[in-house]
Amino acid sequence: MSFNTFGKAFRFTTWGESHGPAIGCVIDGCPPLIQLNEADIQKELNKRKPGQSKFTTQRKESDKVQILSGVFEGKTTGTPISLIIYNEDMRSKDYNDIKDKFRPGHADFTYFKKYGIRDYRGGGRSSARETASRVAAGAVAKKVLENKLGKKFKISGAVTQLGILGCDTKNWDDKIIYKNPFFCPDKSMLKIWEKYLLSIRKAGSSCGAIIEVRANGVPAGLGAPIYSKLDSDIASAMMSINAVKGVNIGSGINSAQLSGEENSDEISQNNKKTKFKSNNAGGILGGISSGQEIIVSFAVKPTSSILKSRKTINKFGKNTSISVKGRHDPCVGIRAVPVGEAMLSCVLLDHYLLNKAQCG
Amino acid sequence: MSFNTFGKAFRFTTWGESHGPAIGCVIDGCPPLIQLNEADIQKELNKRKPGQSKFTTQRKESDKVQILSGVFEGKTTGTPISLIIYNEDMRSKDYNDIKDKFRPGHADFTYFKKYGIRDYRGGGRSSARETASRVAAGAVAKKVLENKLGKKFKISGAVTQLGILGCDTKNWDDKIIYKNPFFCPDKSMLKIWEKYLLSIRKAGSSCGAIIEVRANGVPAGLGAPIYSKLDSDIASAMMSINAVKGVNIGSGINSAQLSGEENSDEISQNNKKTKFKSNNAGGILGGISSGQEIIVSFAVKPTSSILKSRKTINKFGKNTSISVKGRHDPCVGIRAVPVGEAMLSCVLLDHYLLNKAQCG
Amino acid sequence: MSFNTFGKAFRFTTWGESHGPAIGCVIDGCPPLIQLNEADIQKELNKRKPGQSKFTTQRKESDKVQILSGVFEGKTTGTPISLIIYNEDMRSKDYNDIKDKFRPGHADFTYFKKYGIRDYRGGGRSSARETASRVAAGAVAKKVLENKLGKKFKISGAVTQLGILGCDTKNWDDKIIYKNPFFCPDKSMLKIWEKYLLSIRKAGSSCGAIIEVRANGVPAGLGAPIYSKLDSDIASAMMSINAVKGVNIGSGINSAQLSGEENSDEISQNNKKTKFKSNNAGGILGGISSGQEIIVSFAVKPTSSILKSRKTINKFGKNTSISVKGRHDPCVGIRAVPVGEAMLSCVLLDHYLLNKAQCG
Amino acid sequence: MSFNTFGKAFRFTTWGESHGPAIGCVIDGCPPLIQLNEADIQKELNKRKPGQSKFTTQRKESDKVQILSGVFEGKTTGTPISLIIYNEDMRSKDYNDIKDKFRPGHADFTYFKKYGIRDYRGGGRSSARETASRVAAGAVAKKVLENKLGKKFKISGAVTQLGILGCDTKNWDDKIIYKNPFFCPDKSMLKIWEKYLLSIRKAGSSCGAIIEVRANGVPAGLGAPIYSKLDSDIASAMMSINAVKGVNIGSGINSAQLSGEENSDEISQNNKKTKFKSNNAGGILGGISSGQEIIVSFAVKPTSSILKSRKTINKFGKNTSISVKGRHDPCVGIRAVPVGEAMLSCVLLDHYLLNKAQCG
């Protein structure tokens, strides 16, 4: 029963609303003696920061993080790490339009049904702004994993499908991802995607995306039977990200179409190294990591707030309609890339620590 | 840190190995005063029972369940319900072939890497036999939900894609699902699927499947921000089922390809009833149920144990190969249907009870 | 595995060190629609605030709390409530004396043994300053309980034994408790206790205390078999307070000396009201509340930091000695009164909400 | 929210009623590769087994335990260990007397108030029979601790006060404890206690007891700030045992009466060994073990079921009275000794494993 907490051994609790004074998180279970400072976290937050291109939200936030506890003389102490980011761009904008109306595709209707009250300003708690806290927690997790697993450990995420346009993941180039506004890993698609997304933006519409995240250097043996499987926890992590509607491990949904022969990832041994012929399993067998690359992908639905008018009701049960005024965010999925990286980092560290307890 | 426990308010812990003396589960958090007997549970177990057709495993188990605690004079008492199923078909078969070899696609390699020991008989703990315990727990959850939500509540699952062959879910007919060996909901596909699966079986190969589970009569307001979202918990539940590699809510992975207009499920009010124009959201917005039908689907990879020889290694690090002798199970996905129903029932009851605590 | 979180349905996570920039807590699971403002919390914090008399610590803190999330237009929204208190009196004092030495009776030695690092400034995380966060969380719990249980609900705590001096709890007077520096409920002892504590203070020594906390208006039925018993959770809550070494429910340790006849709290019915002849059970039977007054007491050991020199070792394994310079706190137990009230409030609300989930 | 589960990393869930077909537990989180067989568990169960002397309950149970899962070829596998004990002495005795009446001092009234239903046969779930499951779990924990900590690790419990009669714990002799019917550690008191308890039994009355449990060979560093402190978890564990009303760590309640000088357990170093002058802390400082002996004591109230008639009400709200027929158990506290040992073993193993996760 931890509604706003993620994780078992490495746990973080996020708090805060889109237009409240601040957002933040408390990390509990971070091992001691890890070097950590605000720059380590800021670096990751800057990837997710809004207002960096015309293809994402225009909100202006510096997203400057402060460490309030748990770090002493530059090292973690094993006590809770409290992180805070003050909100800046909370314009005294006119919320009358959404105050009483339920935006289709958003959580307005369901929050109101559940709690009988909702902070309607910018989506309140259900805003994607909450994901900044996850990215901060993920930055800490990454730092610990790099310390524990060494240089071979690496996490890398990208948009591999923008609306109806895919890309060739064989062209995956880590170096270009955060240097293009689509977080696309395939240089050959940049122009095509740009033209496509511009047309969607001009039309006042939006599109979804598929994000893929990969982790290398993860040792075999992380995970747990049966209800804390590594893939089960990853699925939970990714599905908890705003607007995510589907999660795949390895070949994922496409596994259904493979034959037993194609799917089974034959194993061989060469000079004390175990090799797998393929990686349909996405690095996880029976809920436990095999030492192969962990491959996860997830689908983000198109931005629900668009310029076109949509039919809806208000909280008094009257039929009405709603549309976004001014500029909008044509693809919320893009900024989910660093969030996916952060969540995978957190799950992996969680299982790294859990494994210590499990195997005694 | 509950490796073999699922749920928060309605919790079940499963135990047992494929070829140990018994398997079972303990349910904690079942509300009192619900009428419950062994027949209620047996009914669901019989759907999953092995050996019912030539298209599934040939193991013979009566899967007879006994209630050992928590029920008094025909009613639940609020104390733990312990359920036990004694294993019967544990043939003193020759396990020498898999004793030291890691079957590709199975958990053999990863369990050994993690624990340094594994019960290799029939997959031990990682066998799909464990799912009988889930079905038993799900039967109890279903009974409670029917009591609390009334007749409008209904769960229904089916195979909607068998290998490369889909079906038309518009033809969904609850009445035929458990009367055909493919648990297919679309009568028009039965012959085609039969021919297809026979050919796969003859070839000594296997295929995957997509299972869809739907719940009707679920009230709005179940779920929780942020890390116990209804969809996040469903994803975790489904991904914990053996051989599942992908999970979708509503339009799922396909959401990425929809436009914002298509995707947003417009809302209207008519005679005090809220209606949604479509259900891409699968009945969940912001992690909370909207009152629409809950729609979940998941992909099961093809059976890893096939007649064809596969390359692998043994626990001494030597290259070798392995193949199944005799008859095999051409599509493990089929019997995942009652398991998916059970897991969805458990998640929904869990959130029904959690909601009571959350809203006080 | 929640090292810094307390509770199941109503959960709070505290963070912060004695001499870090701030301390605080995040409350998760607070029901929606409860009126709450900073003054509600400040009122309780002021009871615990340091520097209010010569008999407690001389640290100067205004302990001003800010609500950063979870409250909208004066009401709780069901989302996490983040509370922060900035530290003020963090004098750039000379910590050289305790930097490398382990103060006997404190957590210095054990934190260092566990983590290999410790924030030695004022005890860091192990400082009683952490209890301010608990009092803040308890204030929220109290507000919710008053809303849910009405005016009959009341929590009241006091020091019932100061060192070797008891008091007569039959003279318990709520109105005087927070008006005397010993939080004593028995007016007749004030002078005697003052003389006693002055002499201890002058001697540079310290004494322990017993705190009793009572809750009235708690309905029957709160609690849970077997490992979330109401008394088991209360024991855990109180034992988690700094320097507490013993916890009693009702007659507590003295129960061992009662006869079966004396102890059994006979029951009778009069005009639809259930009455108990006595309350040795402290309002709890089989881990579940009976509707009687809940009575809890706990012992706080004497302040470990005293003016007299104590033998100890430093982190290099050398024998040395330590003593406090300047003024000291002759009885840390006194300020544990509002902390005990807060913890009991939190446990009671937790079980109030859990009961909703348990009984469906 | 785990009502019938204890522990975080080493978790056990108990189930079963006094007069149902069986009782048992499922252990989750036991490390792999530990040698374990039924005799290891039976040895501990035999200490608690009823019907061994005229001073305890006359129920006849062989308490024969079976391991149903989690052990393969004599070793634990890291998967859940399911233990079952079939009930034998469920005489078709006449329960009419307690069917509708609430026995004072028992959980009858509160279970009925909470759940609206109760299994009245022998106390149902609230019977002390549940503690057999704990002793079984504790036997497994002990086996693991002996494996991990080696021969220096040892747990030992005894009755140190029987009603109004104490004993001299300086005379503590492990060898005599389970060889006398009072589980008394002090040979000099055996005759005196026998005479005292015989007189209580003849009078149809009962008495309480204080149990002390000690653990040696526990390394420094086990525990966690702030809400999973080692002492906080021990208090929760002991208070969850039937009829326990008070828990002390080290000097416990008596700490209140010590001076700061007496209480602070001075530290010294001698040949690389840390020594403490005294052990008022009971081996725990700031919630973390110091490496000293862990000392815990708890009070068990007198048996509530006595031969003397007690006033009570029935479930229809009528005044009535109740008394036990035939022989009774004059001191339920005695058989709590192996239960206390078991619970301390479980808490220590839990924290041993948690520490692995915490410190990474």
Side-chain angles (χ1 to χ4, degrees):
Chain A
M1 277 193 74
S2 41
F3 307 129
N4 292 277
T5 299
F6 187 84
K8 298 176 188 77
F10 179 83
R11 298 165 67 83
F12 64 89
T13 303
T14 71
W15 55 268
E17 277 84 35
S18 178
H19 286 64
I23 59 170
C25 69
V26 182
I27 297 167
D28 197 6
C30 182
L33 299 169
I34 308 292
Q35 290 206 313
L36 182 75
N37 59 39
E38 284 160 358
D40 293 319
I41 303 168
Q42 199 63 52
K43 191 175 63 181
E44 297 295 322
L45 278 169
N46 289 348
K47 294 181 183 174
R48 199 212 70 101
K49 207 166 63 176
Q52 301 192 96
S53 94
K54 60 187 164 189
F55 299 109
T56 55
T57 176
Q58 296 307 304
R59 181 171 176 162
K60 297 284 179 206
E61 290 288 349
S62 63
D63 276 357
K64 203 169 146 31
V65 69
Q66 295 170 51
I67 299 174
L68 294 175
S69 67
V71 176
F72 183 61
E73 299 179 341
K75 286 185 185 150
T76 60
T77 60
T79 61
I81 300 171
S82 177
L83 303 175
I84 194 167
I85 300 166
Y86 281 91
N87 287 327
E88 295 168 355
D89 189 4
M90 307 162 293
R91 279 170 282 180
S92 57
K93 128 178 176 195
D94 187 0
Y95 288 108
N96 279 341
D97 208 37
I98 62 165
K99 189 171 178 293
D100 297 328
K101 288 181 186 176
F102 303 128
R103 294 167 301 162
H106 281 281
D108 301 352
F109 176 74
T110 53
Y111 266 63
F112 186 73
K113 279 284 173 183
K114 182 177 190 74
Y115 296 117
I117 183 175
R118 69 188 177 94
D119 179 347
Y120 48 76
R121 300 165 306 163
R125 180 70 182 147
S126 72
S127 164
R129 179 135 189 77
E130 185 270 345
T131 61
S133 297
R134 307 181 187 221
V135 171
V140 176
K142 207 185 221 181
K143 203 80 205 285
V144 180
L145 285 166
E146 286 166 356
N147 177 294
K148 300 288 178 189
L149 302 178
K151 289 204 172 159
K152 64 185 184 299
F153 172 73
K154 195 176 175 201
I155 289 255
S156 176
V159 174
T160 56
Q161 187 171 317
L162 187 77
I164 56 172
L165 298 176
C167 75
D168 190 343
T169 55
K170 290 199 202 76
N171 296 336
W172 188 294
D173 180 0
D174 279 349
K175 287 186 291 294
I176 71 158
I177 295 170
Y178 287 108
K179 291 192 175 140
N180 73 77
F182 320 106
F183 299 170
C184 173
D186 174 6
K187 199 176 168 185
S188 71
M189 291 304 287
L190 296 183
K191 288 254 165 82
I192 305 166
W193 282 18
E194 177 167 19
K195 201 173 156 189
Y196 172 68
L197 199 52
L198 276 174
S199 76
I200 285 171
R201 182 164 159 263
K202 261 177 220 160
S205 183
S206 63
C207 72
I210 293 182
I211 282 77
E212 186 171 310
V213 189
R214 302 165 168 194
N216 276 279
V218 177
L222 306 194
I226 302 283
Y227 301 105
S228 292
K229 284 180 169 174
L230 184 55
D231 37 2
S232 168
D233 282 359
I234 291 172
S236 164
M238 299 310 175
M239 197 66 98
S240 77
I241 302 172
N242 308 49
V244 171
K245 301 304 284 183
V247 181
N248 291 324
I249 306 292
S251 295
I253 287 289
N254 294 332
S255 308
Q257 304 195 34
L258 300 175
S259 70
E261 301 89 294
E262 290 166 324
N263 184 65
S264 68
D265 302 335
E266 290 180 306
I267 319 175
S268 64
Q269 191 83 0
N270 195 356
N271 287 331
K272 302 205 171 173
K273 289 205 76 172
T274 303
K275 282 195 78 172
F276 293 82
K277 197 179 165 190
S278 48
N279 191 5
N280 290 297
I284 304 174
L285 285 168
I288 299 172
S289 63
S290 65
Q292 280 194 280
E293 185 177 48
I294 306 281
I295 304 174
V296 183
S297 63
F298 56 90
V300 183
K301 69 182 186 184
T303 317
S304 296
S305 293
I306 49 179
L307 300 191
K308 298 190 180 177
S309 175
R310 308 299 296 149
K311 288 182 186 157
T312 192
I313 60 171
N314 63 22
K315 70 178 188 185
F316 312 108
K318 299 291 174 200
N319 287 300
T320 178
S321 68
I322 197 162
S323 66
V324 169
K325 305 287 183 287
R327 288 199 291 194
H328 76 299
D329 183 348
C331 181
V332 285
I334 296 171
R335 288 202 304 140
V337 173
V339 183
E341 290 180 356
M343 292 307 286
L344 186 55
S345 300
C346 290
V347 174
L348 290 173
L349 176 56
D350 199 27
H351 276 280
Y352 174 83
L353 298 174
L354 282 174
N355 192 49
K356 301 275 177 190
Q358 273 178 282
C359 294
Chain B
M1 277 195 71
S2 41
F3 307 129
N4 292 276
T5 298
F6 186 83
K8 297 176 189 79
F10 179 84
R11 295 166 68 84
F12 65 89
T13 304
T14 73
W15 55 268
E17 277 83 35
S18 179
H19 286 64
I23 59 169
C25 69
V26 181
I27 297 166
D28 197 5
C30 183
L33 298 169
I34 307 292
Q35 289 207 313
L36 182 74
N37 58 38
E38 284 160 356
D40 293 319
I41 302 167
Q42 198 63 52
K43 194 174 62 182
E44 297 295 323
L45 279 169
N46 289 348
K47 293 180 184 173
R48 199 211 71 103
K49 205 165 67 175
Q52 300 192 97
S53 94
K54 61 186 165 192
F55 298 111
T56 57
T57 175
Q58 296 307 303
R59 180 169 176 164
K60 295 287 177 203
E61 290 288 348
S62 62
D63 275 356
K64 205 169 142 30
V65 70
Q66 296 170 52
I67 299 174
L68 294 175
S69 67
V71 177
F72 184 60
E73 298 180 342
K75 284 183 186 151
T76 60
T77 61
T79 62
I81 300 172
S82 177
L83 303 174
I84 193 168
I85 299 167
Y86 280 92
N87 287 327
E88 295 168 354
D89 189 3
M90 306 163 294
R91 281 172 282 181
S92 58
K93 126 179 178 193
D94 189 359
Y95 288 109
N96 279 339
D97 208 36
I98 63 165
K99 189 171 176 292
D100 297 328
K101 288 182 187 175
F102 303 127
R103 296 167 298 163
H106 281 282
D108 302 351
F109 176 75
T110 53
Y111 266 63
F112 187 74
K113 280 283 173 185
K114 183 178 189 72
Y115 297 116
I117 183 175
R118 69 189 178 94
D119 179 347
Y120 49 75
R121 301 166 305 162
R125 180 70 183 147
S126 72
S127 165
R129 181 137 189 76
E130 184 269 347
T131 60
S133 298
R134 306 181 187 221
V135 171
V140 175
K142 208 185 221 180
K143 204 79 205 291
V144 179
L145 284 166
E146 285 166 359
N147 176 294
K148 300 289 177 189
L149 301 179
K151 290 202 172 162
K152 64 183 186 300
F153 173 73
K154 197 176 175 200
I155 289 257
S156 177
V159 175
T160 55
Q161 186 170 319
L162 187 77
I164 56 172
L165 298 177
C167 76
D168 189 343
T169 55
K170 290 200 201 74
N171 294 337
W172 188 293
D173 180 0
D174 280 348
K175 286 187 291 296
I176 72 158
I177 295 168
Y178 285 108
K179 290 191 175 139
N180 73 76
F182 319 107
F183 299 170
C184 174
D186 174 8
K187 201 177 166 182
S188 71
M189 291 304 287
L190 297 183
K191 287 256 165 84
I192 304 165
W193 282 19
E194 178 166 19
K195 202 174 156 187
Y196 172 68
L197 199 52
L198 275 174
S199 76
I200 285 172
R201 184 165 158 261
K202 259 177 226 164
S205 183
S206 63
C207 72
I210 294 181
I211 282 78
E212 185 171 313
V213 190
R214 301 165 171 196
N216 276 278
V218 176
L222 305 193
I226 299 282
Y227 301 105
S228 292
K229 285 180 168 174
L230 185 55
D231 37 2
S232 168
D233 281 359
I234 289 171
S236 163
M238 299 311 175
M239 197 65 97
S240 77
I241 301 173
N242 309 49
V244 170
K245 301 304 285 183
V247 182
N248 291 324
I249 306 292
S251 296
I253 287 291
N254 294 332
S255 307
Q257 305 196 34
L258 300 176
S259 71
E261 300 89 292
E262 290 166 323
N263 183 65
S264 68
D265 302 333
E266 289 180 307
I267 318 173
S268 64
Q269 190 84 358
N270 195 359
N271 288 329
K272 301 204 171 174
K273 290 206 71 172
T274 303
K275 284 195 78 172
F276 292 82
K277 197 179 166 190
S278 47
N279 191 5
N280 290 298
I284 304 174
L285 285 167
I288 299 171
S289 64
S290 66
Q292 283 194 280
E293 186 176 49
I294 306 283
I295 303 173
V296 183
S297 62
F298 55 90
V300 183
K301 69 182 187 184
T303 317
S304 296
S305 294
I306 52 178
L307 299 191
K308 300 189 178 177
S309 176
R310 308 301 295 149
K311 288 183 186 156
T312 191
I313 59 171
N314 64 20
K315 70 178 188 184
F316 312 108
K318 299 289 174 202
N319 287 301
T320 178
S321 69
I322 197 162
S323 66
V324 169
K325 305 286 181 288
R327 288 199 292 194
H328 77 299
D329 183 348
C331 181
V332 285
I334 296 171
R335 289 203 303 140
V337 174
V339 183
E341 289 179 0
M343 291 308 285
L344 186 55
S345 300
C346 289
V347 174
L348 290 173
L349 176 56
D350 199 28
H351 276 280
Y352 174 84
L353 297 173
L354 282 175
N355 192 49
K356 301 276 178 189
Q358 272 178 283
C359 293
Chain C
M1 277 193 71
S2 41
F3 308 129
N4 293 276
T5 299
F6 187 84
K8 299 177 187 77
F10 178 84
R11 296 165 67 84
F12 65 89
T13 303
T14 72
W15 55 268
E17 278 81 37
S18 180
H19 286 65
I23 59 169
C25 69
V26 182
I27 297 166
D28 196 6
C30 181
L33 299 169
I34 308 292
Q35 290 206 313
L36 182 75
N37 59 39
E38 285 160 357
D40 293 318
I41 303 168
Q42 199 62 53
K43 193 175 61 181
E44 297 295 323
L45 278 169
N46 289 347
K47 293 181 185 174
R48 199 212 70 102
K49 205 165 67 176
Q52 301 191 96
S53 93
K54 61 185 163 190
F55 299 109
T56 57
T57 175
Q58 296 307 304
R59 183 170 173 163
K60 296 287 177 203
E61 289 289 347
S62 63
D63 275 356
K64 205 168 144 30
V65 70
Q66 295 171 52
I67 300 175
L68 294 174
S69 68
V71 176
F72 184 59
E73 298 179 343
K75 284 184 187 151
T76 60
T77 61
T79 61
I81 299 171
S82 176
L83 303 175
I84 194 168
I85 299 167
Y86 280 93
N87 287 327
E88 295 169 354
D89 189 4
M90 307 162 292
R91 280 172 282 180
S92 57
K93 133 180 172 190
D94 188 0
Y95 289 108
N96 278 340
D97 207 37
I98 63 166
K99 191 170 176 290
D100 297 328
K101 288 183 188 175
F102 303 128
R103 295 168 300 163
H106 281 282
D108 301 350
F109 176 74
T110 53
Y111 266 63
F112 186 73
K113 279 284 173 184
K114 184 178 189 74
Y115 296 116
I117 184 175
R118 70 190 175 92
D119 180 347
Y120 49 75
R121 301 166 305 162
R125 181 68 182 148
S126 72
S127 163
R129 180 136 189 77
E130 185 269 348
T131 60
S133 298
R134 307 181 187 222
V135 170
V140 176
K142 205 185 221 182
K143 203 81 206 286
V144 180
L145 285 166
E146 285 166 358
N147 177 296
K148 299 290 177 187
L149 301 179
K151 291 205 171 160
K152 63 185 184 303
F153 173 73
K154 196 177 175 201
I155 289 255
S156 177
V159 174
T160 55
Q161 186 171 319
L162 187 77
I164 55 171
L165 298 176
C167 75
D168 189 344
T169 56
K170 290 199 202 76
N171 295 337
W172 187 294
D173 180 0
D174 279 350
K175 287 187 291 295
I176 71 157
I177 296 170
Y178 285 108
K179 291 192 175 138
N180 71 77
F182 319 107
F183 298 170
C184 172
D186 174 7
K187 199 177 168 183
S188 71
M189 291 304 287
L190 297 183
K191 288 254 164 85
I192 304 166
W193 282 19
E194 178 167 16
K195 202 174 156 187
Y196 172 67
L197 199 53
L198 276 174
S199 76
I200 285 172
R201 184 165 158 262
K202 261 177 222 160
S205 182
S206 64
C207 72
I210 293 182
I211 281 80
E212 185 171 311
V213 188
R214 301 165 169 195
N216 276 278
V218 176
L222 306 193
I226 302 281
Y227 301 105
S228 292
K229 286 180 168 172
L230 185 55
D231 36 3
S232 167
D233 282 359
I234 290 172
S236 164
M238 298 312 173
M239 198 66 97
S240 77
I241 301 173
N242 309 49
V244 171
K245 300 304 285 185
V247 181
N248 292 322
I249 306 292
S251 295
I253 287 289
N254 294 331
S255 306
Q257 305 196 33
L258 300 176
S259 71
E261 300 91 293
E262 289 166 324
N263 183 66
S264 69
D265 301 336
E266 288 181 307
I267 318 174
S268 65
Q269 191 84 359
N270 195 358
N271 288 330
K272 303 204 170 177
K273 289 206 74 171
T274 303
K275 283 194 77 172
F276 293 82
K277 197 178 164 190
S278 48
N279 191 6
N280 289 298
I284 304 174
L285 285 167
I288 300 172
S289 64
S290 65
Q292 282 193 279
E293 185 177 49
I294 307 281
I295 303 174
V296 183
S297 62
F298 56 90
V300 183
K301 70 182 187 185
T303 317
S304 295
S305 294
I306 51 178
L307 299 192
K308 299 189 180 179
S309 175
R310 308 299 296 150
K311 288 183 186 157
T312 192
I313 59 172
N314 65 20
K315 71 179 187 183
F316 311 108
K318 299 290 172 200
N319 287 301
T320 178
S321 68
I322 197 162
S323 65
V324 169
K325 305 287 182 289
R327 288 198 292 192
H328 76 298
D329 184 348
C331 180
V332 284
I334 295 172
R335 288 202 305 140
V337 173
V339 183
E341 290 179 358
M343 292 308 285
L344 186 55
S345 300
C346 289
V347 174
L348 290 173
L349 176 56
D350 198 27
H351 276 280
Y352 174 84
L353 298 173
L354 283 174
N355 193 48
K356 301 276 176 190
Q358 274 178 282
C359 293
Chain D
M1 275 193 75
S2 42
F3 306 130
N4 293 275
T5 299
F6 186 84
K8 298 176 189 78
F10 179 83
R11 296 165 67 84
F12 65 90
T13 304
T14 73
W15 55 268
E17 278 81 36
S18 178
H19 286 64
I23 59 169
C25 68
V26 182
I27 297 167
D28 197 5
C30 182
L33 298 168
I34 308 292
Q35 289 206 313
L36 183 74
N37 59 39
E38 285 159 357
D40 293 318
I41 302 168
Q42 199 63 53
K43 192 175 62 181
E44 297 296 321
L45 279 169
N46 289 348
K47 294 180 184 173
R48 199 213 70 103
K49 206 166 65 175
Q52 302 192 95
S53 94
K54 59 187 165 189
F55 299 110
T56 56
T57 175
Q58 295 307 303
R59 183 170 175 163
K60 296 285 178 203
E61 290 287 350
S62 63
D63 275 357
K64 205 171 143 29
V65 69
Q66 295 170 52
I67 298 174
L68 294 175
S69 68
V71 177
F72 184 61
E73 299 179 341
K75 284 184 187 150
T76 59
T77 61
T79 62
I81 300 172
S82 177
L83 303 174
I84 194 168
I85 299 166
Y86 280 91
N87 287 327
E88 295 169 355
D89 188 4
M90 307 161 294
R91 280 172 281 183
S92 59
K93 125 179 179 192
D94 188 0
Y95 289 107
N96 278 340
D97 208 39
I98 63 164
K99 189 171 178 291
D100 297 328
K101 288 182 186 174
F102 302 128
R103 295 168 300 162
H106 280 283
D108 301 352
F109 176 75
T110 52
Y111 266 64
F112 187 74
K113 278 286 172 183
K114 182 177 189 75
Y115 295 117
I117 184 174
R118 70 188 177 94
D119 180 347
Y120 48 75
R121 302 165 305 163
R125 180 70 182 147
S126 71
S127 164
R129 181 137 188 77
E130 185 269 347
T131 59
S133 298
R134 306 181 187 220
V135 171
V140 176
K142 208 186 220 180
K143 204 77 205 288
V144 180
L145 284 168
E146 285 166 357
N147 177 295
K148 300 287 178 190
L149 301 180
K151 290 204 171 159
K152 65 184 183 300
F153 173 72
K154 194 173 178 204
I155 289 256
S156 176
V159 174
T160 53
Q161 186 171 319
L162 188 77
I164 55 171
L165 298 177
C167 75
D168 189 343
T169 54
K170 290 200 202 76
N171 295 336
W172 187 293
D173 180 359
D174 279 349
K175 286 188 290 295
I176 72 157
I177 295 170
Y178 285 109
K179 290 190 175 141
N180 73 77
F182 319 106
F183 298 170
C184 173
D186 174 8
K187 201 177 167 184
S188 70
M189 292 304 287
L190 296 184
K191 288 255 165 86
I192 304 166
W193 282 18
E194 178 166 18
K195 202 173 156 189
Y196 171 69
L197 198 54
L198 275 173
S199 76
I200 285 172
R201 184 166 158 262
K202 260 177 220 161
S205 182
S206 63
C207 71
I210 293 181
I211 282 78
E212 187 171 311
V213 189
R214 301 165 170 195
N216 276 278
V218 176
L222 305 193
I226 301 282
Y227 300 106
S228 291
K229 285 180 169 173
L230 185 56
D231 38 1
S232 169
D233 281 359
I234 290 172
S236 165
M238 299 311 174
M239 198 66 100
S240 77
I241 301 173
N242 308 50
V244 171
K245 301 302 286 183
V247 182
N248 291 323
I249 306 292
S251 295
I253 287 290
N254 294 333
S255 307
Q257 304 196 33
L258 299 176
S259 71
E261 298 91 292
E262 289 166 325
N263 183 67
S264 68
D265 301 335
E266 289 180 306
I267 318 175
S268 64
Q269 191 84 359
N270 195 357
N271 287 330
K272 299 204 173 175
K273 290 206 74 171
T274 303
K275 284 195 79 171
F276 292 82
K277 195 178 166 191
S278 49
N279 191 5
N280 289 298
I284 305 173
L285 285 169
I288 300 172
S289 64
S290 65
Q292 281 194 282
E293 186 177 47
I294 306 282
I295 303 174
V296 183
S297 63
F298 55 90
V300 184
K301 70 182 186 183
T303 318
S304 296
S305 293
I306 51 178
L307 299 190
K308 300 191 178 175
S309 175
R310 308 300 296 149
K311 288 185 185 154
T312 191
I313 60 171
N314 65 20
K315 72 178 186 185
F316 311 109
K318 299 289 174 202
N319 286 301
T320 178
S321 68
I322 196 161
S323 65
V324 169
K325 305 285 181 290
R327 287 200 289 194
H328 76 299
D329 184 347
C331 181
V332 286
I334 296 171
R335 288 203 305 141
V337 174
V339 183
E341 289 179 359
M343 294 306 287
L344 186 55
S345 300
C346 291
V347 174
L348 290 174
L349 176 56
D350 199 27
H351 276 279
Y352 174 84
L353 298 173
L354 283 174
N355 193 49
K356 301 275 178 190
Q358 272 178 283
C359 293

